[in-house]
Amino acid sequence: MTGNRTFTMIKPDAVENGHIGAILEKITAAGFKIVAMKYTQLSKRDAEEFYAVHKERPFFGELVQFMTRGPIVSAILEKDNAVDDFRALIGATNPDEAAEGTIRKLFATSIGENAVHGSDSDENAAIEGAFHFSGREVF
Ligand code: CMP
């Protein structure tokens, strides 16, 4: 059975480039309901914990530096089949491989600075949402 929630972040590159509004418009136009949202900035410790699964990767240091360099928008989104449908909406990790019309094709600049995050499983969506939001911040 698939879940109905996923977790996203609009990353520092997309915030810096003024794309918050356009990205939120794409998300809501695709039928996702925003059930939690905040404008915030990750500390180094936050980013290292959030991306702990990638800590042995060669790009880990670069990833932590990027994700902490400015504010982000984090949100929990609700829709049937949320994880898979959201991954389709954002497109491949590498914007060069992302399908036309996807958020990463439109707004990402590189494989590292790829505009948005989307959870890769229902289990991770729950973990990532709980990392960013307390129960009373989710509606
Ligand atoms: P995301 O899939 O949201 O979470 C892991 C992130 O690591 C990914 O987005 C990119 O921002 C980053 N990433 C993945 N692969 C690379 C890479 N080859 N070089 C730099 N950053 C990467």
Side-chain angles (χ1 to χ4, degrees), residues 11 51 54 59 62-63 66 93 104 111-112 114 116-118:
K11 298 185 181 185
Y51 287 112
H54 295 303
F59 57 81
E62 186 188 325
L63 175 60
F66 162 55
T93 304
R104 284 174 171 157
I111 189 168
N114 62 2
V116 282
H117 170 81

